[in-house]
Amino acid sequence: MASGPTPTSSAAPAAGDGVALSSARGRWVLTCAVLASGMALLDGTVVNVALPTLGRDLGASLSALQWVVNAYMLTLSALLLLGGALGDRLGRRRTLVIGVVWFAAASALCGLAQDAGTLIAARALQGIGGALLTPGSLALVRASYRPEDQARAVGAWSGLGGVAGAVGPFLGGWLIDGPGWRWIFLINVPLAALVLFAVRHVPESRDETASRRPFDVTGACLAALFLAGISFALIGASGGSSAAGTVLPGVLGLAAGVAFVVVEHRRRDPMMPLELFRSRLFSAANIMTLCLYAAIGGILFMLPVQLQTTLGYDALQAGTATLPITVLMLLLSASAGDLARRLGPRPPLVVGPLVAAAGVLLMLRVRPGAAYVTEVLPAVVVLGLGMSLFVAPLTATVLASVDASRAGLASGVNNTAARIAQLLVVAGLPLAVGLSGTAYADPGALDSAFGKAAVGCASLFALAALAAAVFVRPSPTAWHGERGNAPQCKTCLGVQSPPLEPGSPTTGTSP
């Protein structure tokens, strides 16, 4: 989280300014942005698939594997909005270059790690780079192209990024089974070199008013302490830590959370303006986001491990098994956005989570001896259909709940909420289902825990549907806008977080 401008806000070029999408320079800008965001997407989609292999090779406990996931998510979540603010101030091109170099160096450290502790530390460093890459690539697209090309440029960036997200599990599984798990991190080094080659053709841009707004460093630190403290408490409890080792981090984390709210309330330029939550629709949408992305993060954390440990899949098979989810979201997000504009957001936000819950409950059949075509595939297809129904309308609802000038900030807060939900569910789910130590390598213990996790994640989806039914009632003005156009969100870039949206609800610039 961060102060000042939003991670996707940018001063759009004036009429006649900017790069043409069809020009050689325009293609370089798009290539640079897609490769940069693709690096972060790739890691986000393949690490879960690698967990059983990491556990075997490094002799890691379940708590260590939880931290392999959460160390990255913690720094990314705490610093995501700060990355956007930094780009506005220092220059989006310069910030992207810093992020790429940082991310590549941290990825190399991950690939060279000889023990779980080193890998966890390197993953935390990697998250800092991700906080610069994730908003920076979209901000670069928004700031570089001439106004008449921006909508197409953002759409092309989203679509190509979505393809990268779809390829991720397949490529990651192949790397894990082939050259080895270290290459899911080391592959970022040549990708970074390609970005640095392409970025030479990218124009610099910045928000000239950004220097007038101070960074909310205190808020960012308190947010990180809150997330770290809660994660330490939950992971420590499932890992058998002492009472002091569990309670003390939890208390410190909660105290940091309270201090964060106080600081944000008192600051003139807070990183997360609390007045956003005065909107009932914005608050409801973010409550839904916490439930939905906790459910998504939980089931996608457990499913690859279940497939490999209990059903005997290799990493490539486990990665490919979930590919239908991403494909369905790529194919159906635009249609779901159109449906929400015609019917309003409430129907898809009620029906979508219920369909996703049904898909997760179908995973109760994913047990020893289950066949992919008759048990695994129907479950992931139904889950993918449900996610396709609610992801775009959820982001559109967030945009509809605030003034157009704050759409980027609202979307950044919503994206951060999704990542926090996944961080907390990865920390707390093993504790909730009674999985600890090296039990993740025991097919019997894991199968029992997976069944409980599926029921819990389905319940979260159902709770989100209930929240939509009760609270999502946007006014006609908020939803349709001054010119009769609902907020748009046509493309989902990744499975595990809502898309960052840069545009005004009435300008049609959002992807």
Side-chain angles (χ1 to χ4, degrees):
M1 304 180 209
S3 63
T6 71
T8 55
S9 66
S10 61
D17 293 340
V19 177
L21 179 60
S22 59
S23 67
R25 195 175 195 186
R27 291 190 289 271
W28 278 114
V29 172
L30 185 62
T31 299
C32 179
V34 169
L35 287 174
S37 60
M39 289 169 60
L41 271 174
L42 184 64
D43 266 36
T45 57
V46 303
V47 170
N48 286 359
V49 177
L51 292 178
T53 304
L54 287 172
R56 289 193 301 270
D57 284 5
L58 299 179
S61 66
L62 178 60
S63 296
L65 296 181
Q66 288 172 274
W67 274 115
V68 168
V69 176
N70 273 5
Y72 176 85
M73 197 65 69
L74 192 156
T75 51
L76 177 64
S77 301
L79 302 175
L80 181 65
L81 299 181
L82 181 61
L86 195 65
D88 286 340
R89 177 174 294 191
L90 298 182
R92 299 176 182 98
R93 179 180 180 273
R94 179 183 299 176
T95 303
L96 187 74
V97 169
I98 295 171
V100 167
V101 172
W102 188 296
F103 194 87
S107 296
L109 289 176
C110 289
L112 297 173
Q114 298 301 309
D115 55 70
T118 304
L119 178 58
I120 291 166
R123 286 281 286 165
L125 292 173
Q126 200 181 29
I128 298 173
L132 299 175
L133 290 180
T134 301
S137 58
L138 177 54
L140 197 70
V141 170
R142 287 279 292 152
S144 297
Y145 290 100
R146 59 188 186 182
E148 57 266 36
D149 283 345
Q150 282 187 15
R152 289 193 300 122
V154 172
W157 171 83
S158 299
L160 291 171
V163 171
V167 170
F170 177 84
L171 176 62
W174 178 79
L175 289 172
I176 294 164
D177 289 336
W181 64 265
R182 297 180 185 279
W183 280 96
I184 67 174
F185 301 112
L186 294 176
I187 195 173
N188 290 323
V189 176
L191 286 177
L194 290 175
V195 175
L196 295 178
F197 177 81
V199 81
R200 299 178 305 159
H201 304 274
V202 175
E204 182 61 284
S205 64
R206 60 174 51 86
D207 182 352
E208 299 300 336
T209 67
S211 60
R212 305 172 195 168
R213 298 184 288 267
F215 285 125
D216 185 3
V217 176
T218 302
C221 291
L222 288 172
L225 288 173
F226 164 69
L227 296 174
I230 299 301
S231 295
F232 268 107
L234 292 173
I235 294 175
S238 65
S241 296
S242 65
T246 300
V247 174
L248 183 59
V251 171
L252 292 176
L254 290 174
V258 172
F260 171 78
V261 173
V262 173
V263 167
E264 297 306 283
H265 178 69
R266 293 180 176 177
R267 281 188 65 93
R268 292 182 58 187
D269 294 292
M271 60 188 258
M272 188 176 71
L274 299 181
E275 64 265 22
L276 287 175
F277 293 93
R278 293 174 185 169
S279 165
R280 174 179 167 178
L281 184 59
F282 182 79
S283 298
N286 280 282
I287 290 171
M288 288 187 62
T289 297
L290 290 171
C291 293
L292 292 170
Y293 282 92
I296 293 168
I299 200 64
L300 293 183
F301 175 71
M302 295 291 293
L303 180 60
V305 184
Q306 170 78 348
L307 292 175
Q308 293 176 75
T309 300
T310 306
L311 276 70
Y313 283 31
D314 59 30
L316 177 58
Q317 291 170 327
T320 307
T322 59
L323 188 59
I325 298 174
T326 307
V327 172
L328 286 169
M329 292 182 69
L330 281 172
L331 295 177
L332 300 179
S333 287
S335 298
D338 291 337
L339 181 67
R341 284 197 298 278
R342 291 197 304 270
L343 302 179
R346 194 175 174 200
L349 289 180
V350 172
V351 175
L354 292 177
V355 173
V360 173
L361 290 176
L362 284 175
M363 291 182 187
L364 293 172
R365 304 164 63 215
V366 180
R367 308 196 63 184
Y372 178 75
V373 173
T374 55
E375 277 83 29
V376 181
L377 181 60
V380 296
V381 166
V382 174
L383 174 60
L385 288 172
M387 291 173 60
S388 300
L389 277 174
F390 69 70
V391 167
L394 179 63
T395 300
T397 301
V398 170
L399 297 178
S401 67
V402 298
D403 292 335
S405 62
R406 312 194 85 177
L409 175 58
S411 178
V413 171
N414 183 247
N415 193 278
T416 302
R419 296 175 189 277
I420 290 173
Q422 292 175 77
L423 183 152
L424 295 179
V425 79
V426 170
L429 186 60
L431 174 64
V433 300
L435 197 64
S436 63
T438 58
Y440 69 90
D442 179 347
L446 179 62
D447 185 50
S448 175
F450 179 76
K452 296 174 185 176
V455 172
C457 292
S459 300
L460 287 170
F461 278 126
L463 185 60
L466 178 61
V470 174
F471 296 113
V472 177
R473 302 174 185 272
S475 67
T477 301
W479 184 248
H480 294 294
E482 295 177 1
R483 290 190 279 171
N485 295 318
Q488 296 185 38
C489 172
K490 293 185 176 181
T491 305
C492 180
L493 193 61
V495 170
Q496 293 184 294
S497 61
L500 283 167
E501 292 294 325
S504 161
T506 60
T507 60
T509 58
S510 57

